[in-house]
Amino acid sequence: MSNTTEQSPVSGVRERAPLLRACAERYRESTPFEALTIGVSAPLTPHTGLFLDVLAAGGAEVLVTGEFGSAHADVLAWLDDHEGITPLSTVGMSETELADARRELLAAEPDLLADDGAYLLSLAHDEFPEAAANVRGACEQTTGGITRLQAMDEQGVLSFPVYDVNGAPMKQHFDNVHGTAESSLSALTSLTDMLVAGSVAVVGGYGQCGRGLARKLRALGARTIVTEADPRKALEAVADGHEVRPMREAVPDADLVVTATGRFGILRREHIEALADGAVVASIGSIIEIDTEAFGEMASDVTRPEPGVARYQFPDGRTVTLLTDGQVVNLAAPNGEGNPTPVMDTTFALMSRGLAAFAEGADLSPGLHPLPEAIDRAVAREKLDAIGVDIDEIPDEQRAYREQWAAHEGSDSPSEKEPR
């Protein structure tokens, strides 16, 4: 049972998260996680607190670590007082301390894992193979994490099944496209006081997060340039109306450069050398995207006018602003709480249902698996119900026609063709 009060950091997001409220009520009755330990690694925001509350309501003993630079003191205090949840992070802990906290979590041999970036999952296989062998299943919700897991899967090292929550349509088209873009824009403008309209904005990567950000920047009046390594995504960016250039050719004209890939080394030393005077640089994908060490090595002076803002003065006279030291800007910015609650409501509902499927006996081979379509559709249906939107039902005759595959006489007549 949750012991939240009206003053808790979670109470406000709970009101705007109908799916997670419903999950908690369901799981409190069915207790799918009874006698199970769930290990969670995620930014310790109010949204994550609500997700952990759902797992505890389902009977789980929850162990949780945060992510570097994203722990909220009020959320940690709330978790400390919450029955069934044990936080292993503290505010301001170093990366080394955070890694030790993850080791402490894995040493407890959890039955299920929920990850954000595959930090727990990779560490489990690297240092805790016996604990990994006993994990029933896991869920991963980020692009960067899935990239790491794809490599592990291709190398045949995954010892338990993992649901690719990031690949689910409800995650891709809402959390990634809209949630990340809107929360990141809010953080960018609050930290810099910049005017987007009329600026030149470079977006590194045209995955779901990158395209969402590029669209919203252009809608606000920015001239958008996209950089890509995938020719198909580059063509999509061109077709969507963005200019496409290599990063080295894009940054000299940029007022704003934002990496959005979750992959290593997107903005490197050669790009930093070419950045325009006055440019603002940030990441919305992962801290590994920007070579922050090169910033420090190349600069002649660094000033920090306010939290989350570092101004690097280079010997040639240029000044470049790096936001949140290259950490994910919508989480690491002061008062950054990640994506909006209505978006995290759907993503954590997907995560909760995925974990429940493993707890209830989903029998999958070790490796990376798509989240079941039935879960994705159920979450979409619940979300529509929650916001009061009705949709059509497929009539029996249309369903029968769609499932028909054999050729029949007269089947090409216009009256029998499926509407297009």
Side-chain angles (χ1 to χ4, degrees):
M1 293 286 291
S2 170
N3 60 357
T4 56
T5 66
E6 287 303 310
Q7 289 73 39
S8 81
V10 173
S11 59
V13 298
R14 190 190 304 277
E15 296 173 2
R16 302 188 297 279
L19 273 63
L20 289 178
R21 290 202 310 269
C23 269
E25 293 172 7
R26 245 187 344 262
Y27 293 167
R28 195 169 285 115
E29 294 181 4
S30 63
T31 60
F33 307 121
E34 188 71 38
L36 297 179
T37 299
I38 302 179
V40 179
S41 174
L44 292 180
T45 64
H47 311 113
T48 301
L50 187 53
F51 168 56
L52 302 176
D53 181 48
V54 168
L55 303 182
E61 186 64 35
V62 183
L63 305 177
V64 59
T65 65
E67 289 189 7
F68 184 63
S70 65
H72 291 228
D74 56 349
V75 174
L76 277 169
W78 181 82
L79 294 174
D80 270 328
D81 292 336
H82 196 298
E83 183 179 351
I85 302 175
T86 303
L88 302 176
S89 292
T90 58
V91 174
M93 69 190 317
S94 67
E95 292 186 73
T96 299
E97 291 169 332
L98 179 56
D100 288 340
R102 291 181 177 133
R103 292 186 177 94
E104 182 182 353
L105 186 156
L106 292 169
E109 299 188 347
D111 302 285
L112 299 167
L113 295 173
D115 214 345
D116 184 298
Y119 297 107
L120 277 181
L121 302 185
S122 58
L123 185 62
H125 287 84
D126 188 35
E127 296 185 19
F128 295 85
E130 292 184 5
N134 294 319
V135 172
R136 296 190 188 185
C139 291
E140 168 59 49
Q141 66 166 331
T142 67
T143 303
I146 292 300
T147 299
R148 299 172 77 182
L149 292 172
Q150 286 170 337
M152 295 173 70
D153 194 30
E154 289 168 2
Q155 295 168 30
V157 300
L158 284 175
S159 59
F160 50 78
V162 182
Y163 277 143
D164 175 5
V165 174
N166 184 69
M170 284 296 293
K171 171 68 162 65
Q172 287 280 301
H173 301 306
F174 296 95
D175 187 326
N176 292 4
V177 171
H178 296 289
T180 300
E182 291 193 16
S183 61
S184 298
L185 267 174
S186 177
L188 288 166
T189 54
S190 67
L191 286 171
T192 63
D193 194 33
M194 72 177 297
L195 179 67
V196 173
S199 67
V200 176
V202 172
V203 177
Y206 207 65
Q208 298 294 347
C209 294
R211 75 186 57 198
L213 180 64
R215 288 173 184 170
K216 292 180 190 296
L217 284 166
R218 193 175 64 175
L220 290 174
R223 290 179 288 157
T224 49
I225 303 172
V226 168
T227 72
E228 249 302 338
D230 185 325
R232 297 160 299 179
K233 291 179 180 177
L235 280 172
E236 287 185 73
V238 171
D240 286 344
H242 307 292
E243 187 177 350
V244 175
R245 301 184 198 171
M247 183 69 80
R248 180 63 179 78
E249 297 177 14
V251 295
D253 296 326
D255 300 298
L256 174 67
V257 180
V258 185
T259 61
T261 68
R263 304 202 174 189
F264 178 78
I266 303 304
L267 192 80
R268 303 182 295 276
R269 181 180 292 266
E270 63 264 32
H271 307 133
I272 297 170
E273 290 173 347
L275 282 166
D277 182 33
V280 174
V281 176
S283 169
I284 67 170
S286 172
I287 193 172
I288 63 174
E289 295 185 293
I290 298 173
D291 189 346
T292 55
E293 289 187 5
F295 265 96
E297 292 168 358
M298 295 166 63
S300 56
D301 187 40
V302 183
T303 57
R304 296 182 178 273
E306 56 186 284
V309 178
R311 293 213 171 95
Y312 288 82
Q313 182 79 38
F314 295 102
D316 60 7
R318 290 176 302 130
T319 299
V320 174
T321 299
L322 177 64
L323 301 182
T324 61
D325 293 320
Q327 298 173 57
V328 178
V329 71
N330 62 334
L331 291 168
N335 301 318
E337 295 186 355
N339 294 343
T341 298
V343 164
M344 295 312 301
D345 186 34
T346 59
T347 294
F348 279 136
L350 295 171
M351 294 281 281
S352 300
R353 283 177 173 267
L355 291 172
F358 283 126
E360 292 165 353
D363 187 15
L364 296 173
S365 61
L368 190 60
H369 298 267
L371 189 72
E373 185 178 357
I375 290 178
D376 200 56
R377 285 183 175 274
V379 169
R381 174 71 67 173
E382 285 186 15
K383 193 68 172 182
L384 288 172
D385 290 343
I387 62 177
V389 174
D390 292 327
I391 61 174
D392 285 326
E393 296 292 339
I394 299 175
D396 291 342
E397 59 270 23
Q398 187 182 102
R399 192 182 305 276
Y401 183 87
R402 187 178 65 183
E403 294 171 356
Q404 163 187 307
W405 60 271
H408 297 288
E409 185 177 350
S411 62
D412 290 331
S413 63
S415 62
E416 292 185 30
K417 284 187 176 179
E418 187 172 4
R420 294 183 180 178

